[in-house]
PDB file of all heavy atoms in Angstrom:
ATOM      1  N   LEU B 213     -11.228  43.571 -26.235  1.00  0.00           N
ATOM      2  CA  LEU B 213     -11.974  42.506 -26.932  1.00  0.00           C
ATOM      3  C   LEU B 213     -11.265  42.270 -28.306  1.00  0.00           C
ATOM      4  O   LEU B 213     -10.833  43.223 -28.928  1.00  0.00           O
ATOM      5  CB  LEU B 213     -13.427  42.935 -27.189  1.00  0.00           C
ATOM      6  CG  LEU B 213     -14.347  41.883 -27.842  1.00  0.00           C
ATOM      7  CD1 LEU B 213     -14.488  40.643 -27.023  1.00  0.00           C
ATOM      8  CD2 LEU B 213     -15.689  42.491 -28.231  1.00  0.00           C
ATOM      9  N   TYR B 214     -11.220  40.988 -28.678  1.00  0.00           N
ATOM     10  CA  TYR B 214     -10.711  40.641 -29.981  1.00  0.00           C
ATOM     11  C   TYR B 214     -11.924  40.101 -30.731  1.00  0.00           C
ATOM     12  O   TYR B 214     -12.411  39.036 -30.471  1.00  0.00           O
ATOM     13  CB  TYR B 214      -9.613  39.590 -29.842  1.00  0.00           C
ATOM     14  CG  TYR B 214      -9.134  38.932 -31.155  1.00  0.00           C
ATOM     15  CD1 TYR B 214      -9.152  39.658 -32.367  1.00  0.00           C
ATOM     16  CD2 TYR B 214      -8.701  37.630 -31.159  1.00  0.00           C
ATOM     17  CE1 TYR B 214      -8.693  39.032 -33.502  1.00  0.00           C
ATOM     18  CE2 TYR B 214      -8.222  37.041 -32.334  1.00  0.00           C
ATOM     19  CZ  TYR B 214      -8.239  37.774 -33.530  1.00  0.00           C
ATOM     20  OH  TYR B 214      -7.834  37.141 -34.693  1.00  0.00           O
ATOM     21  N   GLU B 215     -12.359  40.901 -31.741  1.00  0.00           N
ATOM     22  CA  GLU B 215     -13.517  40.469 -32.518  1.00  0.00           C
ATOM     23  C   GLU B 215     -13.001  39.752 -33.781  1.00  0.00           C
ATOM     24  O   GLU B 215     -12.254  40.313 -34.556  1.00  0.00           O
ATOM     25  CB  GLU B 215     -14.335  41.708 -32.936  1.00  0.00           C
ATOM     26  CG  GLU B 215     -15.072  42.341 -31.761  1.00  0.00           C
ATOM     27  CD  GLU B 215     -15.939  43.525 -32.206  1.00  0.00           C
ATOM     28  OE1 GLU B 215     -15.379  44.380 -32.938  1.00  0.00           O
ATOM     29  OE2 GLU B 215     -17.120  43.556 -31.856  1.00  0.00           O
ATOM     30  N   ASN B 216     -13.499  38.559 -33.927  1.00  0.00           N
ATOM     31  CA  ASN B 216     -13.040  37.748 -35.083  1.00  0.00           C
ATOM     32  C   ASN B 216     -14.186  37.612 -36.067  1.00  0.00           C
ATOM     33  O   ASN B 216     -15.079  36.772 -35.884  1.00  0.00           O
ATOM     34  CB  ASN B 216     -12.615  36.392 -34.574  1.00  0.00           C
ATOM     35  CG  ASN B 216     -11.759  35.664 -35.651  1.00  0.00           C
ATOM     36  OD1 ASN B 216     -12.341  35.320 -36.716  1.00  0.00           O
ATOM     37  ND2 ASN B 216     -10.531  35.453 -35.418  1.00  0.00           N
ATOM     38  N   PHE B 217     -14.223  38.448 -37.072  1.00  0.00           N
ATOM     39  CA  PHE B 217     -15.333  38.436 -38.083  1.00  0.00           C
ATOM     40  C   PHE B 217     -15.098  37.381 -39.154  1.00  0.00           C
ATOM     41  O   PHE B 217     -14.008  37.338 -39.773  1.00  0.00           O
ATOM     42  CB  PHE B 217     -15.462  39.777 -38.728  1.00  0.00           C
ATOM     43  CG  PHE B 217     -16.169  40.813 -37.865  1.00  0.00           C
ATOM     44  CD1 PHE B 217     -15.467  41.565 -36.931  1.00  0.00           C
ATOM     45  CD2 PHE B 217     -17.560  40.980 -37.986  1.00  0.00           C
ATOM     46  CE1 PHE B 217     -16.158  42.473 -36.120  1.00  0.00           C
ATOM     47  CE2 PHE B 217     -18.214  41.943 -37.185  1.00  0.00           C
ATOM     48  CZ  PHE B 217     -17.500  42.666 -36.269  1.00  0.00           C
ATOM     49  N   THR B 218     -16.115  36.515 -39.332  1.00  0.00           N
ATOM     50  CA  THR B 218     -15.999  35.495 -40.323  1.00  0.00           C
ATOM     51  C   THR B 218     -17.362  35.355 -40.974  1.00  0.00           C
ATOM     52  O   THR B 218     -18.132  36.346 -40.994  1.00  0.00           O
ATOM     53  CB  THR B 218     -15.489  34.200 -39.647  1.00  0.00           C
ATOM     54  OG1 THR B 218     -15.673  33.105 -40.554  1.00  0.00           O
ATOM     55  CG2 THR B 218     -16.211  33.859 -38.383  1.00  0.00           C
ATOM     56  N   ASP B 219     -17.729  34.195 -41.483  1.00  0.00           N
ATOM     57  CA  ASP B 219     -18.997  34.098 -42.177  1.00  0.00           C
ATOM     58  C   ASP B 219     -20.034  33.269 -41.378  1.00  0.00           C
ATOM     59  O   ASP B 219     -21.036  32.845 -41.954  1.00  0.00           O
ATOM     60  CB  ASP B 219     -18.854  33.467 -43.618  1.00  0.00           C
ATOM     61  CG  ASP B 219     -18.035  32.196 -43.568  1.00  0.00           C
ATOM     62  OD1 ASP B 219     -17.742  31.740 -42.436  1.00  0.00           O
ATOM     63  OD2 ASP B 219     -17.735  31.647 -44.593  1.00  0.00           O
ATOM     64  N   VAL B 220     -19.707  33.064 -40.112  1.00  0.00           N
ATOM     65  CA  VAL B 220     -20.710  32.479 -39.243  1.00  0.00           C
ATOM     66  C   VAL B 220     -20.822  33.329 -38.011  1.00  0.00           C
ATOM     67  O   VAL B 220     -19.945  34.056 -37.623  1.00  0.00           O
ATOM     68  CB  VAL B 220     -20.310  31.000 -38.825  1.00  0.00           C
ATOM     69  CG1 VAL B 220     -20.227  30.129 -40.062  1.00  0.00           C
ATOM     70  CG2 VAL B 220     -19.053  31.030 -38.013  1.00  0.00           C
ATOM     71  N   SER B 221     -21.978  33.197 -37.326  1.00  0.00           N
ATOM     72  CA  SER B 221     -22.190  34.050 -36.139  1.00  0.00           C
ATOM     73  C   SER B 221     -21.801  33.283 -34.854  1.00  0.00           C
ATOM     74  O   SER B 221     -21.520  33.880 -33.838  1.00  0.00           O
ATOM     75  CB  SER B 221     -23.681  34.385 -36.041  1.00  0.00           C
ATOM     76  OG  SER B 221     -24.080  35.107 -37.178  1.00  0.00           O
ATOM     77  N   PHE B 222     -21.792  31.962 -34.940  1.00  0.00           N
ATOM     78  CA  PHE B 222     -21.613  31.175 -33.724  1.00  0.00           C
ATOM     79  C   PHE B 222     -20.717  29.958 -33.926  1.00  0.00           C
ATOM     80  O   PHE B 222     -20.592  29.532 -35.034  1.00  0.00           O
ATOM     81  CB  PHE B 222     -22.993  30.661 -33.192  1.00  0.00           C
ATOM     82  CG  PHE B 222     -23.921  31.788 -32.811  1.00  0.00           C
ATOM     83  CD1 PHE B 222     -25.001  32.090 -33.631  1.00  0.00           C
ATOM     84  CD2 PHE B 222     -23.728  32.496 -31.649  1.00  0.00           C
ATOM     85  CE1 PHE B 222     -25.852  33.135 -33.247  1.00  0.00           C
ATOM     86  CE2 PHE B 222     -24.603  33.507 -31.258  1.00  0.00           C
ATOM     87  CZ  PHE B 222     -25.681  33.833 -32.075  1.00  0.00           C
ATOM     88  N   ILE B 223     -20.165  29.523 -32.792  1.00  0.00           N
ATOM     89  CA  ILE B 223     -19.625  28.197 -32.723  1.00  0.00           C
ATOM     90  C   ILE B 223     -20.796  27.343 -32.219  1.00  0.00           C
ATOM     91  O   ILE B 223     -21.575  27.808 -31.341  1.00  0.00           O
ATOM     92  CB  ILE B 223     -18.488  28.119 -31.709  1.00  0.00           C
ATOM     93  CG1 ILE B 223     -17.334  28.970 -32.218  1.00  0.00           C
ATOM     94  CG2 ILE B 223     -18.057  26.693 -31.462  1.00  0.00           C
ATOM     95  CD1 ILE B 223     -16.203  29.203 -31.226  1.00  0.00           C
ATOM     96  N   TYR B 224     -21.007  26.212 -32.830  1.00  0.00           N
ATOM     97  CA  TYR B 224     -22.138  25.356 -32.436  1.00  0.00           C
ATOM     98  C   TYR B 224     -21.744  24.185 -31.585  1.00  0.00           C
ATOM     99  O   TYR B 224     -20.595  23.777 -31.556  1.00  0.00           O
ATOM    100  CB  TYR B 224     -22.847  24.915 -33.738  1.00  0.00           C
ATOM    101  CG  TYR B 224     -23.462  26.043 -34.530  1.00  0.00           C
ATOM    102  CD1 TYR B 224     -22.772  26.662 -35.554  1.00  0.00           C
ATOM    103  CD2 TYR B 224     -24.708  26.544 -34.150  1.00  0.00           C
ATOM    104  CE1 TYR B 224     -23.357  27.713 -36.255  1.00  0.00           C
ATOM    105  CE2 TYR B 224     -25.271  27.602 -34.810  1.00  0.00           C
ATOM    106  CZ  TYR B 224     -24.579  28.166 -35.861  1.00  0.00           C
ATOM    107  OH  TYR B 224     -25.097  29.282 -36.518  1.00  0.00           O
ATOM    108  N   SER B 225     -22.721  23.673 -30.891  1.00  0.00           N
ATOM    109  CA  SER B 225     -22.495  22.556 -29.948  1.00  0.00           C
ATOM    110  C   SER B 225     -22.064  21.286 -30.623  1.00  0.00           C
ATOM    111  O   SER B 225     -21.562  20.355 -29.963  1.00  0.00           O
ATOM    112  CB  SER B 225     -23.736  22.292 -29.137  1.00  0.00           C
ATOM    113  OG  SER B 225     -24.063  23.473 -28.435  1.00  0.00           O
TER     114      SER B 225
END
Side-chain angles (χ1 to χ4, degrees):
Chain B
L213 182 65
Y214 171 32
E215 292 181 309
N216 194 296
F217 281 85
T218 168
D219 52 5
V220 300
S221 301
F222 296 105
I223 295 168
Y224 294 96
S225 300

